[in-house]
Amino acid sequence: MDKAFAADILTQYLDLEASIIFLLIDSKGVVLETNQYTKTMTGLDFSNQQQNLYDVLVDFGNLPSLEEIKNNSSVQMFNIQTSDNLPQTFYFNFFQKDDFTIVLGQMDQQETDELRNNLLQANNEANNLTRELQKKNAQLEQLNAVKNQFLGMAAHDLRNPIGIILRYSEFLIDEAKKTLTRDQLDLLNSIKISSNFMLLLLNDLLDIAKIESGKLELKLELTNFVEFVKRNISLNQIIASQKKIKLNFQSYEYLPQLMLDPLKMEQVFNNLISNAIKYSPANTSVLISVFQSGDYVMVSVKDQGPGIPEAEIPNLFKAFQTTSVQSTAGEKSTGLGLMIVNKIILGHQGRIWVESKQGEGSIFFFSLPMVLERTEKDSQALRQKSPAPKIRYNLAKKKPLEILLVDDQVEHMHMISILLNQLGYQAQFSRSARQALEEMGKNTFDIVFLDIKMPEIDGITMTEHLYRHHPRNKIPFLVAVTGAEISKEECLAAGFDEFLLKPIGIEDLQAAIGHVNIGSSAFTGEEVSKDKMSSPKPGPFLNLEVLEEYRKIDPEFLTALVSMFLEQTPGAIEELKKTFDENPRNIPGLVDQIQGACENLGATKLVKICQNIRESAPPAGGSEFERYLENLETAFLETKQALQQMKF
Amino acid sequence: MISTEIYNNYLSNLLSGNRANCSKVVEELLDQKIPVQELYLELFQSTLYEVGKLWEKNEISVAVEHMATAITEGLLNLVYPVIFSGDRVGKSVVIACVAKEFHQIGAKMIADIFELNGWDSFFLGANTPSQELQKMIEEKQPDLLGLSMSLSFSMPRLEKMINEVQFAFPQLAIIVGGQGLQGEGRSLLSKYSNVTYIDSIGELEKTIGVSDG
């Protein structure tokens, strides 16, 4: 092979294929020629001789001069700039002739191989460690679940005995205080206080066990947030007033309703407000603010307490992290409250934080999104709920009323009273039915909010007493207030005009007040004899003439007729329901029977409904018939109530 | 069943070193609740076998083969939350590669299959020195030892390991497997009692079932 040919091939290979840096530079270092590899590696434009050797090399400020480089015949190590900004080390030889120098550089293959092997090994080890970590994570999660299960079981099983100790210590203090010495009473009080605290702790532990095991199930409800906050503030009024601390509230009134879990959120408010009270000195105030910020509703609880040391703030929402700050009246803390609060807020997709300076008090903030991500069921509930009525804060001016609250639980009465105050009303209180009856004998009331569950005489008995001794038009508008121990129907049947379920909101009160006819009632203790029945208000349900006719001829027969009607009609309606499902052809006969009984008694509304059923030809379809049945049932209850009002 | 389209998409990304795209494919399959065995056999194992064949045919460099393996190893991490979350059966296995062997991914996948079947697996990785292996067996007291051999010329080292382990832990059942035992090496194992050759993941699951039952 001739040498010129071989030289050509080599030049061509060097130019296009070889992974070697090639530069031809002049005496000033200007690059005159280069190969493809150098262009690709550096990403530089070598056309028009615009690059210098020093543009190619990475300069850390210690590069030798061009002369030194060219005159050094040994292999020199330099880094070159690359297009991907990862400098590469090359080993260079410089071949000088006249004013030109050929620069050739190559990587150390052995070094590259070692690097690759080390990287592969490092990658393997990192992946093996990740595997081990993931496995340990899974094991920790399983252990944590077992821990939570244990915590939950222990807390749950301990609650009963602790509860018994608490109740018995209370019982002993009440029953045996006269026979016990002061020291013995102190011991019993210590038992009571400690067991009460243990019960609190166990409740918190149970909460945490539930939350930690992912069982924080939120029952989201569309809630009027401002009213909700006000209610929660009023619940803390009593403990605040015991320490002479004022609870102030300010809010942006036009907040939309929020989807939240009222019970869980009540826990949040109770915790934050009671904490604020706990760490505040007497004669200070706590300010609770609610305002809108972007898509979030913000709540802040600001106290005038001693503030929290900066170092303790990061741990505040962790378990058992009580602060070094002392409560002002020796109140105890489980160290779990804020952790639970944090979890509940997170569950509502909100965030909680605190700003505090020692000596200047603390402000706890939390945010709740205006629209929580909802399930389809929640969305339906949202669509079905009617918009909240506007609260009329000057209602008392337009509709002045004398109001009596009857409840053995002072804090509950206090709460309703605060809500009534917001509507402009001042209510009077009675702590028992007996006291209320005395009060009603002395003063005139337009509306009475009557707790159902009271010791000695309950709300139902008191209502029955009122109806037995007074004409309907002298009995105030009666509102049953109940904690779900009795149904609305039972309350209405007993003679109540309205039914409210605890906890009661301001809208509930406003709605109840809206139904009161001013001046239609009120008695002043004047007893009215049973047979007077001067002006009963049977409404559109009964034909009084028919009843009066019976009464004149044979009062006993009338009583028997009424009891038969009251006893048999519900069964007949029930029978009608079954007949529709099983044998619709018998419907007319049954309706006729019911209609006949109603006509005998002058139960006009029921008669009308029976006629409607008979006239709907051909026999009414499923949904229409169901509506008739519903009407029939409602009209029966109304008729029954009217009859009871007439003392049957 | 992994579709040809998903398979080809994954393979081309694996060969071009596009880790992010490979990761996306696996994440999507996991979102669709693909059974882990299916993912391992039909995607990870099949593509790595194909990469090996391409290398043998000189269609890809050894660097590409290493890169594909490294990417696959990283992707196994995505599967671990699924693998480790199952109920445990109270049995454990130590899995190791023969000394001086650097191909660990097959053995690791086997360790994962054990996990999926409720076993606790302790994976020692590539190039496990015999002493370290014995220390691990002493510490974990496993029900089973798994040894992986990827290259046929590692047979003497595998036999040495078996002898040493059986001397120290005569009762310990051993399973062996790997590409290195596809040829003649397998027959040399017949002389060992309590050593079982496993040639596939399917057979492994059957064996675990037998051990378990």
Side-chain angles (χ1 to χ4, degrees), chain A residues 345-442:
Chain A
I345 300 284
L346 287 174
H348 280 82
Q349 298 169 26
R351 201 169 75 81
I352 185 165
W353 69 99
V354 62
E355 287 174 9
S356 187
K357 264 192 182 171
Q358 277 190 285
E360 292 179 22
S362 309
I363 314 176
F364 280 81
F365 292 92
F366 69 87
S367 62
L368 292 174
M370 303 268 256
V371 182
L372 274 177
E373 279 175 29
R374 285 187 296 269
T375 62
E376 181 52 26
K377 204 170 140 200
D378 294 331
S379 306
Q380 273 176 8
L382 188 63
R383 282 196 293 273
Q384 282 164 6
K385 288 242 182 174
S386 53
K390 197 176 170 199
I391 304 303
R392 297 167 64 187
Y393 292 99
N394 55 356
L395 188 60
K397 277 187 190 158
K398 291 186 180 163
K399 192 171 187 177
L401 292 174
E402 291 301 323
I403 301 174
L404 179 64
L405 301 179
V406 190
D407 200 322
D408 59 313
Q409 287 180 302
V410 183
E411 56 272 43
H412 192 249
M413 204 151 51
H414 192 67
M415 187 193 82
I416 299 184
S417 139
I418 288 167
L419 296 175
L420 285 169
N421 283 348
Q422 287 169 11
L423 296 171
Y425 293 105
Q426 292 293 330
Q428 294 194 44
F429 311 113
S430 291
R431 288 192 63 179
S432 67
R434 197 176 293 282
Q435 202 183 348
L437 287 168
E438 279 172 23
E439 199 64 46
M440 289 166 81
K442 285 186 263 173

Side-chain angles (χ1 to χ4, degrees), chain A residues 14-15 20-26 29-39 41-42 44-46 51-57 66 69 78-81 90 92-96 100-105:
Chain A
L14 179 68
D15 190 25
I20 289 172
I21 296 283
F22 162 71
L23 299 166
L24 176 64
I25 57 172
D26 67 11
V30 174
V31 179
L32 305 173
E33 274 184 48
T34 185
N35 64 348
Q36 191 56 45
Y37 180 73
T38 309
K39 287 175 196 165
M41 280 297 281
T42 61
L44 295 172
D45 180 5
F46 288 96
Q51 306 293 351
N52 191 286
L53 174 67
Y54 287 92
D55 297 324
V56 177
L57 303 181
L66 187 60
I69 290 174
F78 293 116
N79 293 297
I80 69 156
Q81 305 275 13
F90 283 78
F92 285 97
N93 287 88
F94 294 83
F95 303 97
Q96 194 179 354
F100 304 102
T101 305
I102 290 175
V103 183
L104 292 171

Side-chain angles (χ1 to χ4, degrees), chain A residues 211-403:
Chain A
I211 293 168
E212 290 271 291
S213 55
K215 286 181 189 154
L216 176 69
E217 287 172 5
L218 295 179
K219 290 177 185 149
L220 298 180
E221 283 177 22
L222 200 59
T223 308
N224 180 327
F225 193 60
V226 173
E227 288 314 316
F228 177 80
V229 180
K230 284 180 185 170
R231 196 159 65 239
N232 278 285
I233 293 171
S234 67
L235 286 173
N236 285 280
Q237 282 290 1
I238 291 180
I239 53 162
S241 56
Q242 281 166 356
K243 283 184 78 174
K244 293 186 176 135
I245 290 168
K246 210 172 160 195
L247 298 184
N248 293 325
F249 174 63
Q250 64 181 30
S251 79
Y252 179 76
E253 291 288 353
Y254 300 104
L255 289 174
Q257 299 199 73
L258 296 185
M259 289 296 284
L260 52 86
D261 182 326
L263 280 178
K264 296 279 187 307
M265 201 49 77
E266 191 174 304
Q267 222 174 328
V268 170
F269 275 100
N270 268 338
N271 191 289
L272 294 180
I273 298 173
S274 65
N275 268 353
I277 296 169
K278 198 184 287 179
Y279 294 103
S280 290
N283 298 314
T284 57
S285 62
V286 171
L287 175 65
I288 297 105
S289 310
V290 177
F291 52 95
Q292 190 179 337
S293 172
D295 292 336
Y296 286 83
V297 167
M298 308 283 290
V299 178
S300 67
V301 179
K302 182 183 179 186
D303 65 45
Q304 295 173 328
I308 305 161
E310 205 179 333
E312 293 178 9
I313 289 179
N315 293 326
L316 220 50
F317 298 101
K318 294 177 186 167
F320 298 110
Q321 298 291 329
T322 47
T323 165
S324 62
V325 183
Q326 297 293 312
S327 61
T328 47
E331 297 101 323
K332 286 191 172 182
S333 167
T334 63
L336 294 169
L338 283 176
M339 180 191 181
I340 295 170
V341 162
N342 186 28
K343 300 274 183 187
I344 294 173
I345 300 284
L346 287 174
H348 280 82
Q349 298 169 26
R351 201 169 75 81
I352 185 165
W353 69 99
V354 62
E355 287 174 9
S356 187
K357 264 192 182 171
Q358 277 190 285
E360 292 179 22
S362 309
I363 314 176
F364 280 81
F365 292 92
F366 69 87
S367 62
L368 292 174
M370 303 268 256
V371 182
L372 274 177
E373 279 175 29
R374 285 187 296 269
T375 62
E376 181 52 26
K377 204 170 140 200
D378 294 331
S379 306
Q380 273 176 8
L382 188 63
R383 282 196 293 273
Q384 282 164 6
K385 288 242 182 174
S386 53
K390 197 176 170 199
I391 304 303
R392 297 167 64 187
Y393 292 99
N394 55 356
L395 188 60
K397 277 187 190 158
K398 291 186 180 163
K399 192 171 187 177
L401 292 174
E402 291 301 323
I403 301 174

Side-chain angles (χ1 to χ4, degrees), chain A residues 201-215:
Chain A
L201 186 63
L202 289 171
N203 285 340
D204 279 358
L205 286 172
L206 262 178
D207 277 349
I208 284 175
K210 269 190 208 162
I211 293 168
E212 290 271 291
S213 55
K215 286 181 189 154

